[in-house]
Amino acid sequence: MEKTRSKTFVCENETKWETIGDGITRQILGYNGHIMMVKIKAEKAGPVGVEHAHYHPQVTYVSSGKFEFTIGNEKKVVTAGDGMYMEPDVRHSCICIEPGIIVDCFSPMREDFLKK
């Protein structure tokens, strides 16, 4: 039986961007059943992730741009080089202030992100 996993090398120029909202796209950069890394590009200011929660612990890295994250009862503006951690089941949201890219990692993988 083959395990659920991505290719070993996932190159940006060979991976399609999926539209997930108005000016928001994502690329799945690698995964298996235990972990997933996803790049999200916000091309304009506005909501990136409406308030939600999931059972997956999540870490996020800001590659470029400026974003306002609300995690639980904390709100903070983050910029390139910053990171954050979201506990499982904690409500969180993200608003793009200046266009940029964030990288999310989830454990286990987000099965809902894979095409059915």
Side-chain angles (χ1 to χ4, degrees):
M1 174 161 61
E2 185 174 317
K3 293 180 180 181
T4 299
R5 65 177 297 259
S6 65
K7 298 182 296 183
T8 301
F9 292 96
V10 182
C11 300
E12 179 179 47
N13 63 351
E14 298 171 358
T15 304
K16 292 177 82 174
W17 287 90
E18 175 187 0
T19 300
I20 58 171
D22 185 25
I24 310 298
T25 54
R26 75 176 165 215
Q27 282 183 318
I28 297 175
L29 299 177
Y31 65 92
N32 69 14
H34 300 285
I35 193 165
M36 177 181 270
M37 183 166 54
V38 179
K39 181 167 49 173
I40 301 188
K41 183 183 346 178
E43 296 178 353
K44 61 183 182 178
V48 175
V50 296
E51 185 180 59
H52 65 286
H54 42 76
Y55 71 90
H56 313 78
Q58 176 181 340
V59 292
T60 298
Y61 173 75
V62 181
S63 178
S64 62
K66 183 188 256 186
F67 299 85
E68 178 185 271
F69 274 82
T70 301
I71 303 170
N73 296 322
E74 295 182 65
K75 185 181 288 191
K76 187 165 181 87
V77 173
V78 293
T79 59
D82 293 340
M84 60 233 69
Y85 168 68
M86 284 146 259
E87 293 274 350
D89 301 314
V90 170
R91 299 200 64 75
H92 54 280
S93 62
C94 176
I95 297 171
C96 176
I97 298 170
E98 294 175 3
I101 293 176
I102 58 177
V103 178
D104 291 332
C105 293
F106 303 96
S107 177
M109 73 171 191
R110 294 285 305 262
E111 290 184 31
D112 54 320
F113 285 8
L114 299 177
K115 299 259 189 233
K116 305 276 188 273

